[in-house]
Amino acid sequence: MPKGKVLIVEDQPNFRMGLRKMFEDGQQGWTVVGEASNGQDALALIEQVQPDLVLTDIRMPIMDGIEFVGHLRQSHPDLLVIILTGYKNFEYAQAAVRLGALDLLIKPCTEQDVQQVMSKASERFYEKYSKQQQQLGQQRQQQDQELRSALLNLPYTHRADAEKSLDSMLSNKELWLLQMNNEDLAIKDYGISDMRLIQFALSNIVEELLKGSGLDARLLLVEHDRFVLVSDYHTVNAAIQEAIQQASWEYLKIHLNIHPMGADVSAKQLAERYVQFKEAALSSGGAPGTSGSETSNGSSMTMTLSLNQSKVNELEVQLMSAILMNQEESLQQLLDRLLIELSNATLADMKIQALSLSIALLGTIQKQLAPEEQTSLARIPGDMPQTHWTAEEVGHWASEQVANFLLLFNNWQASKNDNLIERAVKYIEEHYNEECRLTDVASHIHLNASYFSVLFKKSTGESFTRFVTRVRMDKAAILLRNTDMKIFEIACAIGFDEPNYFTNVFKQQYLMSPKEYRNGRLAPG
């Protein structure tokens, strides 16, 4: 899940710096990619930094915010915009609505005000990102189908520019044939549903190894036991090939033969090149040719594989969104729903869905919960569903995957919360002699006040008010024991305007008045 990119357009340097610091300290997944002091400079920056959100003031020199957003809408009609203004009037609010602004933020604004608006922006950003991923997945599926048709010398889709699109995709690329060993498959006697699981697992193994090596490549299932890999020149070296083959054997107990098919192959040459290297693979100990029924089923198998990969990406986006938005309840509901859907599926689909869920969970762990433990195969579970498992065994395995994820998530959340509470306590220690309201502390650590109140009591065992009062009384006790300050001076020093009220509160905690407490320190022990 990428971070959302923010462009800040504000002519007051101090306010701009404060906004930047807030984003750098924030937990909602935004990063500042550019700053400008007027609309004209901001327009020049847009194409360079390509933000997902623009935060702009209205009153600025050279080009104000209203004119700037008007220009912006012509070239970027869907870009998220939040308008800042120091003037709370109907005309500005009306202009913001007319220009499609997500929200209007009135200055001076607290960090909590900004965080609430940014929470709204985060929800919109994740919705937009999810839709984009779905569209990209659909485009990928269509192109995969066209590439497979060309390899098998089958008719293309009705898209007139399909061949041109394939030629463009294949330009400056190398092709590789990945052939599963037929003897290994024969030993297992895999049926069609079992092969779907093996194909899905192998595709994820290969793609994770390629990603881990920093390679931009795509893997296509062509026939039930054969894949074609499309990569940049000279990137799939001997080390990567060996890693793929070792992982295939380690996880699936299947030997994988890898054969280079050449570079810069045009769409018209694909079928001939595929037959040539398929025969070469057979002559070197590969699998026998697939039957007509297997080839005809390949189209649906390829589509199913693409849909499964898209499902993994979609699940990962949903998981990451819930985590970054601090929506613990939504996360639990999502996981509960997925397990219910899993239990209602056929056994063959259960295995695929369980593996998809596991891969999405492991991907979320790798990217958000434990990035320091990242490995090239971090998203592949070590004990994948087996072809002989019953529905009960698959369901139990999936539930364990979810339970392990939630345990790690709760530990991560507790660690993050501990850090937040430490910062809150430090703030209280430094500001106990001021008003020190709950909203002030919540704003300081960028949390909603209601959520912070619940989190604080859960972490410390005391309400916020009780904790602050206890800190103040402890400070008062120190002053009473170690100084000759008058009672009213001590009351003032720890944030109480009324000495009598301070005395009453002190009595509640120490069961004696401040004067009695002070005299008690001098009494013989």
Side-chain angles (χ1 to χ4, degrees), residues 231-521:
S231 67
D232 291 332
Y233 284 151
H234 310 303
T235 53
V236 183
N237 55 36
I240 292 174
Q241 293 177 49
E242 183 179 357
I244 290 173
Q245 290 170 322
Q246 287 180 348
S248 175
W249 178 252
E250 178 183 349
Y251 286 88
L252 305 176
K253 293 298 180 280
I254 293 175
H255 290 97
L256 191 68
N257 300 312
I258 303 177
H259 305 273
M261 293 174 59
D264 281 324
V265 182
S266 68
K268 289 182 178 179
Q269 298 172 320
L270 282 172
E272 180 182 352
R273 189 67 61 93
Y274 179 68
V275 170
Q276 174 188 348
F277 283 91
K278 182 169 72 170
E279 291 175 350
L282 296 176
S283 64
S284 63
T290 52
S291 67
S293 62
E294 288 171 332
T295 301
S296 62
N297 287 334
S299 178
S300 62
M301 294 167 80
T302 303
M303 179 63 73
T304 300
L305 184 60
S306 297
L307 289 172
N308 289 334
Q309 296 288 9
S310 297
K311 180 66 174 177
V312 169
N313 294 335
E314 182 182 340
L315 283 177
E316 204 170 300
V317 169
Q318 291 175 320
L319 291 166
M320 290 288 287
S321 298
I323 289 173
L324 292 173
M325 292 294 295
N326 287 319
Q327 297 174 338
E328 295 179 55
E329 187 175 344
S330 297
L331 179 64
Q332 184 67 62
Q333 290 173 352
L334 170 63
L335 293 171
D336 290 343
R337 177 174 59 80
L338 292 171
L339 288 176
I340 292 172
E341 290 176 359
L342 186 73
S343 66
N344 293 327
T346 64
L347 177 57
D349 286 340
M350 275 188 78
K351 294 173 184 177
I352 296 289
Q353 290 180 25
L355 183 55
S356 298
L357 174 58
S358 177
I359 291 170
L361 293 174
L362 290 170
T364 305
I365 291 170
Q366 171 186 319
K367 295 174 183 176
Q368 186 66 29
L369 305 186
E372 70 282 355
E373 297 179 9
Q374 180 173 340
T375 64
S376 59
L377 283 176
R379 288 183 16 154
I380 303 298
D383 56 340
M384 290 182 290
Q386 301 299 303
T387 56
H388 62 273
W389 281 6
T390 64
E392 183 179 354
E393 288 172 318
V394 176
H396 178 70
W397 182 85
S399 297
E400 282 189 334
Q401 299 291 306
V402 169
N404 290 337
F405 172 82
L406 287 174
L407 178 62
L408 187 57
F409 169 73
N410 290 332
N411 290 339
W412 173 82
Q413 188 79 337
S415 173
K416 188 180 75 166
N417 289 343
D418 287 346
N419 180 257
L420 289 173
I421 297 304
E422 285 176 10
R423 288 169 56 195
V425 169
K426 182 180 179 183
Y427 182 91
I428 293 168
E429 290 279 357
E430 293 173 350
H431 298 83
Y432 68 88
N433 58 339
E434 302 169 14
E435 195 168 3
C436 200
R437 300 170 300 181
L438 182 144
T439 51
D440 296 330
V441 184
S443 177
H444 175 70
I445 60 174
H446 311 304
L447 286 184
N448 172 275
S450 298
Y451 175 70
F452 169 66
S453 177
V454 173
L455 178 63
F456 190 88
K457 186 168 185 179
K458 180 180 177 182
S459 300
T460 65
E462 293 181 289
S463 70
F464 174 82
T465 302
R466 173 60 191 149
F467 185 89
V468 173
T469 299
R470 184 171 59 78
V471 168
R472 285 171 168 166
M473 293 305 102
D474 289 345
K475 301 297 182 183
I478 292 173
L479 294 175
L480 287 166
R481 289 196 307 268
N482 297 283
T483 75
D484 293 323
M485 292 172 66
K486 296 183 175 8
I487 302 298
F488 79 86
E489 291 176 333
I490 291 176
C492 183
I494 63 169
F496 282 80
D497 295 330
E498 294 290 334
N500 289 338
Y501 179 55
F502 159 67
T503 297
N504 289 334
V505 174
F506 190 90
K507 278 183 178 180
Q508 290 176 6
Q509 178 159 326
Y510 287 95
L511 304 179
M512 66 181 73
S513 69
K515 184 176 181 180
E516 290 169 336
Y517 183 89
R518 169 171 275 171
N519 291 336
R521 66 169 179 152

Side-chain angles (χ1 to χ4, degrees), residues 5-251:
K5 297 181 291 185
V6 184
L7 172 64
I8 300 174
V9 189
E10 164 64 57
D11 64 321
Q12 298 178 28
N14 289 338
F15 191 73
R16 198 166 66 235
M17 186 183 304
L19 287 172
R20 171 181 277 278
K21 187 176 187 306
M22 183 203 66
F23 283 115
E24 290 173 349
D25 295 341
Q27 303 291 325
Q28 291 183 326
W30 292 93
T31 182
V32 177
V33 293
E35 299 178 25
S37 59
N38 60 74
Q40 190 176 84
D41 291 345
L43 282 175
L45 266 178
I46 289 290
E47 295 303 326
Q48 178 183 338
V49 301
Q50 296 185 341
D52 301 298
L53 169 70
V54 171
L55 211 62
T56 179
D57 194 6
I58 285 186
R59 297 289 294 270
M60 297 181 295
I62 305 178
M63 181 186 290
D64 66 21
I66 298 298
E67 185 181 357
F68 161 59
V69 178
H71 285 294
L72 188 64
R73 283 290 174 240
Q74 296 176 19
S75 55
H76 298 80
D78 299 325
L79 188 59
L80 296 175
V81 174
I82 294 173
I83 291 181
L84 298 162
T85 177
Y87 302 87
K88 189 175 183 179
N89 62 43
F90 175 75
E91 288 184 6
Y92 285 143
Q94 190 179 44
V97 171
R98 187 177 68 250
L99 292 169
L102 181 66
D103 214 330
L104 187 71
L105 199 56
I106 308 299
K107 297 190 297 185
C109 46
T110 66
E111 291 186 9
Q112 186 178 359
D113 294 332
V114 179
Q115 286 293 336
Q116 288 176 345
V117 172
M118 291 307 299
S119 179
K120 184 177 179 181
S122 293
E123 289 184 17
R124 193 68 61 85
F125 170 69
Y126 295 138
E127 289 173 4
K128 185 176 178 181
Y129 177 76
S130 181
K131 289 179 181 177
Q132 288 174 342
Q133 291 300 108
Q134 289 176 0
Q135 291 172 353
L136 288 173
Q138 291 169 357
Q139 293 171 4
R140 171 70 179 262
Q141 290 169 24
Q142 181 179 22
Q143 197 168 49
D144 281 351
Q145 285 293 86
E146 292 166 351
L147 178 57
R148 181 181 179 277
S149 296
L151 285 161
L152 294 175
N153 201 22
L154 298 173
Y156 282 13
T157 63
H158 297 296
R159 211 159 59 102
D161 62 342
E163 185 175 307
K164 183 178 179 181
S165 174
L166 285 177
D167 283 337
S168 176
M169 185 194 77
L170 295 168
S171 178
N172 299 318
K173 300 292 184 182
E174 289 181 329
L175 298 180
W176 300 82
L177 179 66
L178 278 61
Q179 171 75 63
M180 286 188 268
N181 185 277
N182 188 62
E183 292 182 0
D184 296 333
L185 296 177
I187 291 172
K188 301 277 188 179
D189 192 23
Y190 292 127
I192 292 177
S193 61
D194 294 331
M195 279 304 300
R196 287 173 52 205
L197 180 64
I198 295 301
Q199 291 158 354
F200 182 50
L202 181 60
S203 67
N204 277 280
I205 287 170
V206 174
E207 291 184 355
E208 283 305 304
L209 282 167
L210 294 171
K211 284 180 187 176
S213 300
L215 303 187
D216 181 18
R218 67 192 299 167
L219 186 69
L220 172 72
L221 173 65
V222 183
E223 297 178 88
H224 82 290
D225 55 353
R226 297 187 188 95
F227 290 82
V228 166
L229 177 64
V230 183
S231 67
D232 291 332
Y233 284 151
H234 310 303
T235 53
V236 183
N237 55 36
I240 292 174
Q241 293 177 49
E242 183 179 357
I244 290 173
Q245 290 170 322
Q246 287 180 348
S248 175
W249 178 252
E250 178 183 349
Y251 286 88

